[in-house]
């Protein structure tokens, strides 16, 4: 596994300002494009709904995050896999595109986990349709549960050839180009069918494990025997709660327990990596605090702009 900070490393190489740096710059560019890997995961945002710091909050933790900056600044959650598959579309997507120099026209598939406002901002996709955007023609394929498809079609024009809609069913695998994607049931909202995603491509396997509490038993059963090279796990509640099987959102103890069961079920191999993500400012834990908490467990802490290559 190779981890890159997309918002930092390239700047440092460019600042070297010498001929010897040119090869390093080219190498980093090729790495960022995923030339040397089987799967590239670009983590765009790692916060819960409020962001961290919350722009509406003056608590000690938000004020300290503002002062320290860097990896303590967390936007609403989203991930891009191999430049073409995006999971969730928060309102912060415009910022993500500017910050990490992302060409959103390259995205072919958009998977929604659920319709909570920090993951679901379909109105912004008006800017992709004919007359608003130019220089490409392919349709963005939008996937999700019944509510995702219904709400998206309510706010976007039905006539656009730049958008298409695909309803997903739990545990039914679909093909997205070379990738196989299976929506798994999450434990998050009793009034909505929320999804986790298991993604396989080029022999690598990723589990997008949020938003959720302890996985439903049907999901655990489906995961039996499935390899996981990288898992992103919900840690919204930090140390605010201590249940090992927290509902709706995980905490530190539930993340640890999920990793333990994944190891027990032989989902995780020697080189597998588990990341905690989706942190609320209410948990009061800054990036270094989280690193210290999870280090004994071999669990890593995701941050905005992180690129992981498998």
């Amino acid at each position: 596994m190779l981890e890159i900070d997309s918002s930092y490393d390239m700047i440092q190489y460019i600042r070297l300002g010498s001929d010897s740096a040119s090869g390093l710059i080219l190498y980093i560019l090729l790495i960022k494009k995923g030339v040397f890997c089987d799967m590239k995961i670009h983590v765009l945002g790692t916060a819960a709904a409020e962001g961290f710091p919350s722009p509406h909050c003056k608590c000690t933790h938000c004020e300290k995050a503002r002062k320290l900056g860097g990896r303590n600044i967390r936007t609403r959650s989203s991930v891009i896999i191999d430049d073409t598959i995006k999971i969730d579309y928060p309102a912060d997507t415009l910022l993500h595109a500017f910050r990490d120099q992302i060409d959103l026209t390259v995205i072919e598939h958009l998977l929604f986990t659920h319709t909570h406002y920090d993951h679901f901002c379909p109105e912004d996709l008006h800017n992709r349709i004919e007359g608003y955007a130019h220089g490409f023609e392919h349709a963005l394929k939008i996937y999700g549960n019944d509510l995702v498809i219904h709400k998206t079609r309510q706010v976007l024009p039905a006539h656009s050839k730049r958008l298409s809609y695909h309803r997903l069913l739990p545990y039914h695998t679909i093909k997205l180009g070379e990738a196989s994607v299976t929506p798994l049931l999450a434990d998050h909202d009793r009034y909505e069918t929320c999804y986790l995603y298991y993604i396989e491509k080029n022999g690598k396997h990723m589990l997008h494990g949020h938003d959720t509490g302890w996985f439903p038993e049907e999901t655990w059963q489906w995961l039996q025997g499935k390899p996981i090279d990288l898992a992103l796990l919900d840690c919204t509640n930090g140390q605010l709660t201590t249940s090992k099987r927290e509902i709706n959102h995980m905490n530190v103890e539930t993340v640890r327990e999920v990793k333990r069961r994944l190891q027990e079920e032989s989902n995780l191999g020697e080189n597998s990596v588990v990341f905690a993500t989706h942190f609320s400012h209410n948990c009061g834990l800054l990036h270094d605090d989280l690193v210290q908490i999870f280090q004994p467990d071999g669990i890593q802490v995701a941050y905005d702009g992180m690129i992981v290559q498998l």
Side-chain angles (χ1 to χ4, degrees), residues 17 29 48 70-71 93 97 124 132 139 172 225-226 244 255 265 277 281:
L29 283 170
R71 295 180 182 181
T93 297
D124 197 57
Y132 287 81
H172 286 240
K226 305 291 195 306
K244 291 185 177 182
V255 171
E265 301 280 354
T277 188
H281 73 112

Side-chain angles (χ1 to χ4, degrees), residues 161-306:
K161 296 180 180 179
R162 298 267 186 90
L163 304 168
S164 65
Y165 306 94
H166 308 267
R167 183 170 67 97
L168 300 179
L169 298 175
Y171 312 112
H172 286 240
T173 301
I174 60 170
K175 292 288 291 185
L176 306 185
E178 296 179 356
S180 297
V181 177
T182 307
L184 312 177
L185 288 177
D187 171 24
H188 186 51
D189 184 338
R190 69 176 67 184
Y191 300 112
E192 182 176 356
T193 303
C194 302
Y195 286 145
L196 315 176
Y197 287 107
Y198 181 85
I199 301 172
E200 187 276 330
K201 185 179 179 184
N202 297 328
K204 298 297 182 181
H205 308 82
M206 170 192 171
L207 176 64
H208 185 272
H210 65 89
D211 291 7
T212 189
W214 179 257
F215 300 159
E217 195 55 37
E218 304 98 307
T219 292
W220 281 115
Q221 290 175 10
W222 189 93
L223 284 170
Q224 286 183 354
K226 305 291 195 306
I228 297 172
D229 298 292
L230 180 143
L232 289 169
L233 298 180
D234 187 314
C235 193
T236 305
N237 292 332
Q239 293 181 317
L240 292 172
T241 58
T242 57
S243 170
K244 291 185 177 182
R245 297 196 174 187
E246 189 75 351
I247 61 172
N248 301 327
H249 281 296
M250 295 189 197
N251 56 28
V252 168
E253 293 304 321
T254 307
V255 171
R256 287 170 171 159
E257 186 67 8
V258 168
K259 183 185 178 185
R260 184 200 64 77
R261 179 154 175 180
L262 290 173
Q263 289 174 320
E264 186 179 88
E265 301 280 354
S266 300
N267 298 109
L268 302 178
E270 182 179 352
N271 297 317
S272 297
V273 60
V274 173
F275 283 94
T277 188
H278 200 275
F279 304 104
S280 170
H281 73 112
N282 290 306
C283 76
L285 298 172
L286 299 176
H287 184 80
D288 287 346
D289 299 326
L290 290 160
V291 169
Q292 185 175 4
I293 287 167
F294 280 118
Q295 191 170 26
D297 308 291
I299 295 168
Q300 300 193 40
V301 178
Y303 53 87
D304 283 26
M306 179 182 78

Side-chain angles (χ1 to χ4, degrees), residues 1 37-41 204-205 229-230 273 308-310:
M1 182 199 77
C37 71
D38 294 307
M39 181 185 287
K40 181 177 77 168
I41 298 99
K204 298 297 182 181
H205 308 82
D229 298 292
L230 180 143
V273 60
V308 179
Q309 301 199 352
L310 301 176

Side-chain angles (χ1 to χ4, degrees), residues 46-114:
T46 56
E50 312 94 335
F52 196 164
S54 167
H56 304 286
C57 184
K58 299 284 286 183
C59 74
T60 302
H61 317 300
C62 285
E63 292 288 74
K64 189 172 182 180
R66 289 187 185 98
K67 180 179 179 180
L68 293 174
R71 295 180 182 181
N72 297 294
I73 305 300
R74 300 183 183 275
T75 58
R76 268 74 67 92
S77 295
S78 182
V79 170
I80 294 177
I81 297 117
D82 290 335
D83 299 323
T84 61
I85 300 172
K86 190 176 192 300
I87 301 179
D88 287 335
Y89 197 106
D92 296 339
T93 297
L94 180 66
L95 168 62
H96 297 158
F98 289 162
R99 184 196 66 203
D100 293 351
Q101 300 181 2
I102 297 166
D103 181 359
L104 290 177
T105 68
V106 175
I107 304 295
E108 299 174 8
H109 309 281
L110 175 57
L111 297 160
F112 280 110
T113 56
H114 60 305

